[in-house]
Amino acid sequence: MASTHGAEVLVASNRGPVSYEVRPDGGAGSLHAKRGGGGLVSGLSAIGPDANAVWVCAALGDADREAVRRAEGGLLPAEDTGGQRVRMLDIDAGVFSDAYNGIANSVLWFVHHMLYQTPLEPVFDAEFRRRWASYQAYNRAFAEALAEEAADGAAVVIQDYHLALAPRMLRELRPDLRIGHFSHTPWAPPDYFRLLPDDIAAELLGGILGADRAAFLTRRWADAFRDCCHAVLGSPGIPAGTRVGVHGLGADADFLRERAHRPDVTERMAALREEIGEGRRTIVRVDRTELSKNIVRGLLAYRQLLDDHPEWRERVVHVAFAYPSRQDLAVYRDYTAEVRRVADDINASYGTEGWTPVVLHVKDDFARSLAAYRLADVALVNPIRDGMNLVAKEVPVVSDEGCALVLSREAGAFEELGEDALTVNPYDIQGTATALHQALTMPAHERAERAKRLSAAATALPPAQWFLDQLHALDENRPG
Ligand code: F6P
């Protein structure tokens, strides 16, 4: 297959570094590009413009599709991408929706985060099989684009559960390439993974095993993957040609500290202080409104704290930012409504004239998140299960006075931060309430000391390093 751009390094992910919206004030057809951040963006900028890299991603909506139609030579305009070469794939909207909403987010995400209410779900019926065919087609579209873009022997790093089949498909098209797959989620233990139909479980594992290297955020998820390979595929599990690796992803200290002291953040701190009220303590959480983030139980634990320790009434505020996510799925819309309902209920039951116990914001605002980080006395990070959780790493870095961290033992970040956090079982409301009380009463010097150590651990593996380590590990597969 002919190479279009002869890239030496390729990244593939569902969500790319840029997304488009039609600007209401820009007249007909006016597209506005919005750039994202994260580990891959930092990683690709770290290897520099001479590295000859291409990022392959999917068009997520109509505006993205329009941008693809306008793109010359298949690449998005450099001014939209910050100079990065990005090939966005215009996959049929129905196929994309089946693959992204119907399989990746409704099945694979649920399996790895163990989110099913098993008496009634999952149900693997004919409709599931139809969607699975779309998931295969979506993965094939990525594999074909990568095969076209890659130079001889290029390194390809394929990201996440959306693209579990792509490594094997790409291997078949281009045996010369060095292929890595990286999972940003947890990996399910075998008993849970085997909820999937046997052939699908084997296809998923076989897809990832098409890579030279399958990598994970923590040892725990890598071990679970190995265990699933043994349980589903039998001995030897992982074939000799595939290695399994671990690359923790840390917070970007320099970026966060600089960004958190810009004027827009200071402005939002003033507005938040107004909402919180003079002299009150803050328990801060910032999440996508994501089922696995356990926001509702966090609110219930806060209510328990107010019951068990009435001395905190009027003296503490739970600042909860729950930003919209995956609103195409009814279960996410229902969960979002439940978060609001429980927050409103706490405010109605406990609030007073001058005290709103829960300050809930649902509109995504990065500067306001950083403002909340700076004001945090306590950070609450209590996911049911989480690949890593960067909020747990970011708040201790940014908080002005040093915050105490209440952390779920089910977050990947727990492996690195557990020693200086207050650990919780995310299902245990009473235990979480007790941990919140301990965090609020922790002496200031202890809190500051712990935050310093948390911050050091959280920034030990900066995003650029995380990416470069993956690339270097693939170098070991270079012939000769
Ligand atoms: O954790 C997996 C992941 O794909 C992250 O990389 C990302 O932050 C998150 O899920 C968001 O998912 P989506 O692209 O569906 O909003």
Side-chain angles (χ1 to χ4, degrees):
M1 193 168 296
S3 141
T4 315
H5 296 102
E8 299 289 346
V9 175
L10 296 98
V11 169
S13 64
N14 174 64
R15 189 178 286 280
V18 64
S19 63
Y20 289 85
E21 55 191 24
V22 177
R23 259 209 177 143
D25 56 347
S30 160
L31 286 178
H32 173 64
K34 209 175 143 218
R35 260 185 266 157
L40 293 168
V41 172
S42 311
L44 279 177
S45 44
I47 62 174
D50 300 335
N52 194 6
V54 167
W55 188 328
V56 178
C57 60
L60 306 182
D62 291 344
D64 283 0
R65 289 175 198 288
E66 181 54 31
V68 176
R69 281 190 278 272
R70 293 183 195 179
E72 276 169 36
L75 297 181
L76 297 176
E79 63 271 22
D80 292 354
T81 65
Q84 180 56 56
R85 299 202 302 162
V86 178
R87 176 161 169 193
M88 196 178 253
L89 305 180
D90 182 0
I91 297 168
D92 172 83
V95 170
F96 174 79
S97 173
D98 284 343
Y100 174 69
N101 289 315
I103 299 293
N105 289 343
S106 297
V107 178
L108 304 181
W109 183 270
F110 273 58
V111 168
H112 290 313
H113 293 85
M114 307 202 307
L115 295 175
Y116 283 121
Q117 303 197 20
T118 50
L120 293 174
E121 53 176 16
V123 173
F124 295 117
D125 54 6
E127 173 58 15
F128 165 77
R129 293 281 166 177
R130 194 190 61 73
R131 290 177 185 176
W132 185 256
S134 292
Y135 182 74
Q136 291 168 322
Y138 162 97
N139 272 262
R140 199 167 300 115
F142 271 81
E144 283 168 1
L146 290 165
E148 282 167 24
E149 297 293 340
D152 268 359
V156 186
V157 279
I158 298 175
Q159 310 294 310
D160 240 339
Y161 58 103
H162 315 90
L163 293 171
L165 306 182
R168 163 89 41 216
M169 293 170 169
L170 181 57
R171 166 72 63 230
E172 279 159 14
L173 293 169
R174 292 286 304 270
D176 60 301
L177 300 178
R178 290 166 295 134
I179 305 172
H181 184 273
F182 193 90
S183 292
H184 294 254
T185 58
W187 194 273
D191 284 354
Y192 207 89
F193 189 71
R194 297 186 80 184
L195 291 179
L196 290 166
D198 292 352
D199 61 320
I200 300 290
E203 192 178 337
L204 278 169
L205 296 171
I208 291 178
L209 292 172
D212 296 297
R213 214 161 166 276
F216 299 84
L217 284 164
T218 70
R219 174 66 43 207
R220 183 179 175 191
W221 312 139
D223 288 347
F225 176 75
R226 273 199 199 90
D227 293 345
C228 285
C229 288
H230 274 285
V232 174
L233 306 175
S235 189
I238 312 261
T242 306
R243 287 171 299 131
V244 175
V246 174
H247 300 286
L249 174 59
D252 190 341
D254 296 339
F255 164 74
L256 283 171
R257 291 196 179 112
E258 187 277 324
R259 183 67 189 84
H261 286 83
R262 289 202 205 152
D264 58 343
V265 175
T266 321
E267 255 169 49
R268 282 159 178 80
M269 283 173 79
L272 271 177
R273 278 206 185 94
E274 191 82 5
E275 285 184 274
I276 292 163
E278 196 59 41
R280 292 193 172 117
R281 300 299 199 84
T282 53
I283 299 171
V284 168
R285 78 170 308 137
V286 176
D287 295 291
R288 293 186 295 113
T289 310
E290 162 53 55
L291 313 177
S292 60
K293 301 290 181 188
N294 209 20
I295 303 169
V296 170
R297 284 196 194 83
L299 288 164
L300 297 179
Y302 177 64
R303 177 156 69 191
Q304 188 75 50
L305 171 80
L306 300 178
D307 283 341
D308 293 350
H309 295 281
E311 69 272 20
W312 284 117
R313 296 186 193 181
E314 306 265 0
R315 292 178 51 221
V316 66
V317 170
H318 185 14
V319 177
F321 295 169
Y323 299 143
S325 183
R326 303 182 187 168
Q327 293 294 297
D328 287 343
L329 299 182
V331 63
Y332 278 74
R333 294 196 295 273
D334 294 348
Y335 188 73
T336 305
E338 184 62 3
V339 167
R340 278 180 192 274
R341 193 193 65 73
V342 177
D344 288 348
D345 189 53
I346 295 172
N347 285 339
S349 308
Y350 299 82
T352 61
E353 185 67 21
W355 174 54
T356 305
V358 181
V359 168
L360 175 70
H361 284 291
V362 296
K363 193 171 173 298
D364 195 351
D365 180 341
F366 184 53
R368 191 178 49 202
S369 298
L370 291 173
Y373 287 2
R374 286 188 58 186
L375 293 173
D377 294 305
V378 176
L380 174 58
V381 180
N382 65 327
I384 290 171
R385 221 169 139 79
D386 211 332
M388 177 53 73
N389 197 299
L390 279 182
V391 174
K393 293 188 164 182
E394 289 168 355
V395 194
V397 175
V398 173
S399 67
D400 281 354
E401 305 290 333
C403 69
L405 174 64
V406 173
L407 179 62
S408 163
R409 64 189 185 197
E410 304 304 323
F414 181 75
E415 263 181 33
E416 292 153 66
L417 307 181
E419 236 167 78
D420 281 296
L422 298 167
T423 307
V424 292
N425 165 350
Y427 300 95
D428 183 353
I429 305 282
Q430 187 73 62
T432 307
T434 304
L436 288 174
H437 177 65
Q438 284 168 353
L440 287 166
T441 49
M442 191 182 283
H445 68 272
E446 183 184 343
R447 216 173 56 172
E449 282 304 312
R450 283 195 195 222
K452 219 184 279 170
R453 289 193 296 266
L454 285 168
S455 176
T459 54
L461 298 161
Q465 190 64 43
W466 165 81
F467 181 77
L468 293 177
D469 285 351
Q470 286 180 65
L471 279 187
H472 292 151
L474 276 182
D475 277 348
E476 292 164 24
N477 288 73
R478 195 185 279 278

